Amino acid sequence: MSMQTSTAQGLALPGQDRSLFAPSDNERLILTLIKRYGEIPASEIAKETGLSAQSASVISRLLETQGLVIKGEPVRGRVGKPSVPIMLNRDGAFSIGLRIGRRSADLVLIDLTCEIRGELRQTYKFPTPEVIVNFVQSGIGKLVGALEGGLQNRIAGIGIAAPFELWNWLDNTSAPKDQMLAWKTFDFVTDIRSLTDLPIIVSNDSSMSSMGEHAFGSAKSLSNFAYFYIGSFIGGGVVLNNRLYLGESGNAAAFGSFPIRDSDGNWGQLIGKASLVLLENKLEDRFPNQAQHMLQANDWQGFDDLLEAWLQETAANLAYAIVMAVAAYDVPAIVIDGSMPPEIRTRLITMVEDEMKGADLRGIRAPVIQEGSLGNMAGALGAAYQPIATQILSE
């Protein structure tokens, strides 16, 4: 699903101050610099940005007047004037993120410092446009309503992390055919237009998960990496030079589509060899009507044999996919996360590392494999970050 941007109308929210979300290139540059360092002395901004001291000072004062940055306490103890740090104002801007999953959806509200200010989750047997629209309508009202009135006009927009061609989940859900096929004609920008006047950005869910891990999680310090997310279906993303690479259609790093050949020579895809739906189906056969609940538990217990078999198959195929990703993108690091308890994720990564020891890496560099940290929230956080990154920062 490629990225789409538009402005929707409808939900009863205060009029947004759109002037906050059209900063100049130099204003974006300074805001991005401050975000990168957390805080920076005012005297250092000109040196770091290449702007003249006067320009940097004028722009910094303007950003402070707009409420996007604040000054900290002067730092004394050095020769000369006290150093005054400048930092982002956590109440300077907000953004909303929506992630649509096979069994649940998440809404999250973040502020300009990327702190979570509110989050909501809805579970379901299968996602339909009606369920998602109702969740968005009620959820946005709750999240925005929790802000003080003066802050409700500082919302940059809504980011939506949605699976590519959602209607193709028909074979892997118990949903009625007509309800899943309704996604084929559903357009997030157009069909949510009756709910909110906020700008809307729609992106692939796996790409947004990688953005979330880069902005909020364990990949903050990585400039170049490939990201694998094992959810109901496996997906991923690629960050190059600190920027999410989306590709021409917005579906770059569609790792679930990587070709896999079984021992009989039959072609398949990674999605059919390394996804949680495979474990869920096995559980459903053994524990009818309990599989979904068991996989949503904080501890996975009572099915050790099925889990071990799934981990082994997933690790073997994931190692194969990692080699292909490194060969294609020349990234030095791989980040792995998923919809699973942290201890299961750690076991999986250990098994992947063991599989990689036997991989043929001639012609490529062995990557560092790193554990993700956000789990189910990665997609929603990445989606929420998009309006801020595109409208306020230079990212």
Side-chain angles (χ1 to χ4, degrees):
M1 180 175 294
S2 60
M3 183 179 294
Q4 307 171 56
T5 305
S6 183
T7 299
Q9 300 177 346
L11 189 64
L13 294 175
Q16 301 299 302
D17 185 358
R18 303 317 306 170
S19 64
L20 296 173
F21 309 121
S24 68
D25 288 344
N26 286 336
E27 289 168 352
R28 288 174 180 264
L29 182 63
I30 290 177
L31 288 168
T32 303
L33 178 71
I34 297 171
K35 176 186 176 296
R36 182 175 302 129
Y37 287 101
E39 63 179 49
I40 185 171
S43 59
E44 293 292 311
I45 291 179
K47 182 169 67 175
E48 291 287 338
T49 59
L51 297 170
S52 68
Q54 181 180 7
S55 294
S57 177
V58 169
I59 294 172
S60 297
R61 287 199 299 269
L62 174 61
L63 294 174
E64 184 180 9
T65 300
Q66 293 175 331
L68 293 173
V69 303
I70 55 176
K71 291 180 178 178
E73 293 295 324
V75 178
R76 305 180 186 278
R78 298 181 180 178
V79 178
K81 292 183 179 180
S83 174
V84 180
I86 295 180
M87 60 198 76
L88 296 179
N89 179 8
R90 66 192 295 265
D91 290 337
F94 300 87
S95 184
I96 295 168
L98 167 69
R99 177 200 69 94
I100 300 171
R102 179 168 172 258
R103 297 299 192 186
S104 64
D106 293 292
L107 270 173
V108 63
L109 176 72
I110 66 170
D111 61 33
L112 187 54
T113 64
C114 294
E115 179 182 342
I116 298 175
R117 302 293 284 268
E119 56 186 293
L120 299 167
R121 170 168 291 181
Q122 177 161 333
T123 59
Y124 37 67
K125 290 185 177 180
F126 47 82
T128 65
E130 182 180 6
V131 167
I132 297 302
V133 166
N134 289 338
F135 177 52
V136 170
Q137 185 171 27
S138 63
I140 289 178
K142 291 176 182 177
L143 293 174
V144 176
L147 295 174
E148 295 180 4
L151 302 180
Q152 293 181 5
N153 66 345
R154 288 179 167 265
I155 302 174
I158 301 173
I160 298 177
F164 185 68
E165 295 185 352
L166 236 164
W167 56 91
N168 282 335
W169 284 4
L170 183 61
D171 293 337
N172 294 288
T173 68
S174 56
K177 183 176 181 179
D178 60 333
Q179 293 191 45
M180 288 305 293
L181 288 179
W183 285 113
K184 202 164 188 177
T185 56
F186 184 87
D187 180 88
F188 285 100
V189 171
T190 301
D191 293 343
I192 296 182
R193 184 164 293 166
S194 62
L195 304 183
T196 174
D197 61 355
L198 297 173
I200 298 172
I201 299 175
V202 184
S203 299
N204 178 269
D205 61 329
S206 296
S207 295
M208 288 302 94
S209 292
S210 60
M211 170 70 82
E213 194 66 48
H214 188 43
F216 297 84
S218 63
K220 278 184 177 181
S221 61
L222 299 178
S223 299
N224 300 278
F225 66 94
Y227 173 87
F228 286 84
Y229 188 89
I230 300 93
S232 292
F233 310 108
I234 191 170
V238 171
V239 170
L240 301 174
N241 297 321
N242 285 310
R243 292 181 178 272
L244 179 66
Y245 177 68
L246 292 171
E248 183 177 350
S249 65
N251 198 41
F255 294 143
S257 298
F258 269 7
I260 297 288
R261 209 166 189 175
D262 63 23
S263 57
D264 295 326
N266 298 314
W267 286 99
Q269 293 187 333
L270 182 65
I271 196 171
K273 297 291 185 179
S275 296
L276 273 172
V277 69
L278 305 173
L279 178 58
E280 182 179 334
N281 291 339
K282 294 291 186 182
L283 285 172
E284 191 64 27
D285 290 341
R286 182 177 294 183
F287 307 101
N289 302 316
Q290 298 183 51
Q292 182 179 351
H293 175 74
M294 295 173 76
L295 291 180
Q296 288 176 344
N298 293 328
D299 296 314
W300 286 3
Q301 298 179 348
F303 51 96
D304 290 354
D305 59 327
L306 296 179
L307 177 59
E308 183 65 22
W310 177 82
L311 285 170
Q312 289 179 358
E313 181 179 25
T314 299
N317 287 287
L318 194 52
Y320 175 82
I322 286 171
V323 173
M324 289 200 294
V326 173
Y329 295 105
D330 190 26
V331 288
I334 300 292
V335 180
I336 300 174
D337 201 358
S339 302
M340 61 190 72
E343 61 272 16
I344 303 299
R345 179 178 59 205
T346 301
R347 281 179 61 189
L348 174 62
I349 291 173
T350 299
M351 295 171 74
V352 170
E353 290 174 331
D354 289 341
E355 289 285 344
M356 289 292 293
K357 293 175 183 177
D360 186 347
L361 298 177
R362 288 175 297 177
I364 61 176
R365 295 179 299 169
V368 174
I369 298 179
Q370 185 167 311
E371 187 169 351
S373 60
L374 301 179
N376 283 328
M377 291 303 297
L381 288 170
Y385 184 62
Q386 277 293 94
I388 288 176
T390 58
Q391 296 188 58
I392 299 176
L393 304 176
S394 299
E395 298 186 343

